[in-house]
């Protein structure tokens, strides 16, 4: 019996996780197993921030009229304050109720994202404590790899494992994004059955995180032309260089360098992030924490970390700090594009060992 089938036995089900496509499949699966159609009389759709939790429960607790169960689907759960729903009676819902809470992806600032995650943890505990089911669908590179292979096979396409792995890396380990890109690739190759690295380079739009990592790896490898090419992709246009620097390049480059520092520590101690002893893990920051990254990302970081040293990473972080100061006028500089290109050149020199 699948997790979705087991969850259907509960009166309250919470669907959450990073993978939008898996959340959608779980919701569709629950409704299909419950024989619920979009226009059913005993189905009600609600938006969490626009209705109090008491309304969700009251509606779900209503006796069904033309079906075995009364189904209520609540979207954007993380926008709802769990503190205001502590006494709404989730545990008292009858077996004829099916209240489905969906934690849709929420964007916004880091503070907002953090608040949404805190809300979700509270909702998960509340649902579990009430005897409900919590279905989580988070990113898993191994699962993504197998799902992409299976989907390509359904499409009649041939993809070697190395190409599948490259697609997973380029899409940040996200199954949702990988399958979207796979559909584009399938259309691009037309009658040809084979999808290779050439097609990936031509069609796939990589995640910004992937571009930053490729730029970092090129800097460490002293491949300055490639590093500048990746920088150009991240900047987009000269007019938006400063915005791109603060919104994506500097924060993500800082993250990459901090992961690189952790990787170098592991390399110096002859261990991997997944097998690092406690005293090494204790030195890692809460975020970003290399030991908590996806396996494919850990492999990437370790490969790059073995090419450099802790002293070199420290110099690169200083270059990053100086770049931030130049962009803000604290140090002499020219245009934002020149400042970012200077950063790449200085980092390449600093990381050259």
């Amino acid at each position: 019996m699948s997790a979705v089938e087991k969850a259907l036995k509960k009166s309250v089900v919470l669907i959450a996780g990073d993978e939008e496509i898996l959340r959608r499949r779980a919701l569709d699966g629950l409704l299909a197993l419950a024989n619920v159609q979009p226009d059913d009389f005993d189905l009600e759709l609600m938006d969490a921030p626009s209705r109090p939790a008491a309304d969700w429960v009251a509606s779900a607790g209503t006796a069904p009229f033309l079906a075995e169960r009364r189904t209520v689907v609540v979207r954007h759960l993380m926008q709802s304050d769990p503190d205001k729903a502590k006494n709404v009676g989730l545990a008292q819902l009858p077996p004829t109720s099916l209240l489905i809470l969906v934690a849709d992806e929420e964007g916004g600032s880091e503070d907002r994202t953090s608040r949404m995650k805190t809300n979700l943890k509270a909702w998960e505990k509340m649902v579990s404590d009430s005897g409900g089911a919590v279905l989580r669908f988070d990113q898993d590179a191994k699962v993504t790899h197998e799902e992409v292979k299976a989907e390509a096979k359904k499409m009649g396409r041939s993809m070697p494992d190395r190409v599948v792995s490259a697609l997973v890396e380029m899409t940040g380990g996200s199954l949702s994004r990988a399958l979207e890109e796979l559909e584009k690739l399938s259309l691009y190759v037309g009658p040809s059955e084979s999808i290779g690295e050439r097609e990936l380079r031509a069609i796939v739009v990589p995640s910004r995180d992937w571009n930053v990592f490729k730029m970092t790896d090129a800097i460490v490898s002293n491949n300055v032309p490639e590093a500048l090419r990746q920088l150009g992709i991240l900047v987009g246009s000269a007019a938006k260089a400063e915005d791109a620097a603060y919104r994506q390049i500097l924060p993500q480059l800082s993250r990459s360098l901090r992961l690189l520092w952790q990787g170098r520590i592991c390399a110096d101690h002859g261990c991997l992030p997944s097998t690092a002893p406690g005293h090494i893990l204790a030195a890692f920051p809460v975020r970003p924490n290399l030991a908590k990254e996806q396996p494919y990302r850990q492999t990437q970081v370790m490969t790059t970390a073995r090419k450099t040293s802790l002293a070199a990473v420290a110099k690169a972080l200083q270059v990053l700090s100086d770049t931030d100061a130049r962009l803000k006028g604290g140090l002499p500089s020219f245009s934002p594009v020149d400042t970012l290109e200077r950063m790449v050149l200085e980092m390449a020199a600093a990381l050259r060992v």
Side-chain angles (χ1 to χ4, degrees):
M1 184 181 293
S2 69
V4 172
E5 290 173 316
K6 291 179 182 178
L8 190 62
K9 298 179 181 295
K10 306 291 186 178
S11 295
V12 186
V13 182
L14 192 160
I15 301 174
D18 300 328
E19 290 290 4
E20 188 274 335
I21 192 169
L22 296 182
R23 294 197 310 269
R24 187 170 68 244
R25 287 178 182 176
L27 176 58
D28 292 344
L30 279 171
L31 296 178
L33 289 170
N35 296 314
V36 176
Q37 302 298 320
D39 58 349
D40 279 359
F41 181 82
D42 285 299
L43 169 66
E44 185 171 3
L45 305 179
M46 296 187 183
D47 190 49
S50 64
R51 301 276 294 275
D55 286 2
W56 320 342
V57 175
S59 179
T62 302
F65 179 56
L66 297 173
E68 292 183 3
R69 303 178 75 175
R70 169 73 175 173
T71 302
V72 176
V73 178
V74 180
R75 307 301 298 261
H76 301 288
L77 176 69
M78 288 190 284
Q79 293 187 38
S80 181
D81 185 353
D83 289 336
K84 297 180 180 179
K86 289 183 176 179
N87 300 309
V88 295
L90 290 178
Q92 283 71 52
L93 283 171
T96 55
S97 299
L98 179 56
L99 175 59
I100 304 175
L101 309 175
V102 185
D104 294 287
E105 188 171 341
E106 303 288 351
S109 66
E110 186 173 342
D111 286 345
R112 184 176 188 274
T113 301
S114 178
R115 186 172 69 255
M116 296 295 103
K117 289 181 178 179
T118 299
N119 284 352
L120 178 57
K121 286 181 180 179
W123 276 112
E124 288 176 338
K125 185 177 187 305
M126 195 182 307
V127 170
S128 295
D129 290 348
S130 69
V134 176
L135 300 176
R136 282 206 64 96
F137 301 97
D138 292 318
Q139 289 184 11
D140 184 324
K142 184 176 180 180
V143 171
T144 299
H145 190 281
E146 295 305 317
E147 287 278 353
V148 170
K149 281 182 65 176
E151 190 65 24
K153 187 175 181 180
K154 288 180 185 177
M155 294 177 175
R157 306 299 183 184
S158 171
M159 289 182 72
D161 278 346
R162 71 177 187 281
V163 177
V164 175
S165 295
L167 177 58
V168 172
E169 290 177 10
M170 293 177 75
T171 52
S174 167
L175 176 61
S176 305
R177 282 213 58 224
L179 292 183
E180 288 176 0
E181 296 297 330
L182 181 60
E183 289 183 11
K184 290 161 54 179
L185 285 164
S186 183
L187 292 172
Y188 177 73
V189 298
S192 173
E193 293 183 3
S194 177
I195 297 176
E197 294 180 4
R198 183 182 67 82
E199 286 76 23
L200 259 63
R201 289 193 296 270
I203 293 299
V204 175
V205 178
S207 67
R208 292 296 185 183
D209 186 54
W210 185 86
N211 285 123
V212 171
F213 186 84
K214 295 300 288 185
M215 182 176 73
T216 306
D217 187 59
I219 290 172
V220 173
S221 303
N222 200 31
N223 187 350
V224 174
E226 175 61 16
L228 290 174
R229 189 180 77 84
Q230 293 295 340
L231 176 65
I233 294 172
L234 289 163
V235 169
S237 68
K240 298 180 179 179
E242 188 168 1
D243 177 62
Y246 286 120
R247 183 165 44 88
Q248 297 172 333
I249 299 173
L250 297 190
Q252 292 188 38
L253 186 52
S254 172
R255 185 177 189 278
S256 289
L257 290 172
R258 285 181 288 163
L259 288 174
L260 191 60
W261 170 75
Q262 295 168 55
R264 187 60 245 183
I265 289 179
C266 288
D268 287 343
H269 287 80
C271 64
L272 296 173
S274 57
T275 60
H279 70 278
I280 291 179
L281 295 178
F284 289 179
V286 176
R287 289 188 306 174
N289 189 309
L290 183 57
K292 296 179 181 179
E293 293 290 309
Q294 293 286 350
Y296 82 90
R297 180 50 51 81
Q298 291 182 13
T299 300
Q300 286 179 329
V301 171
M302 290 304 297
T303 299
T304 303
R306 293 187 180 100
K307 304 174 185 175
T308 187
S309 68
L310 287 177
V313 176
K315 290 179 182 178
L317 285 167
Q318 183 59 56
V319 171
L320 185 69
S321 177
D322 290 346
T323 300
D324 179 57
R326 288 191 178 94
L327 289 170
K328 293 176 179 176
L331 289 174
S333 66
F334 294 100
S335 69
V337 171
D338 288 332
T339 299
L340 292 172
E341 289 177 346
R342 175 177 178 172
M343 174 190 73
V344 168
L345 295 171
E346 289 183 344
M347 278 191 181
L351 290 168
R352 193 179 302 134
V353 296

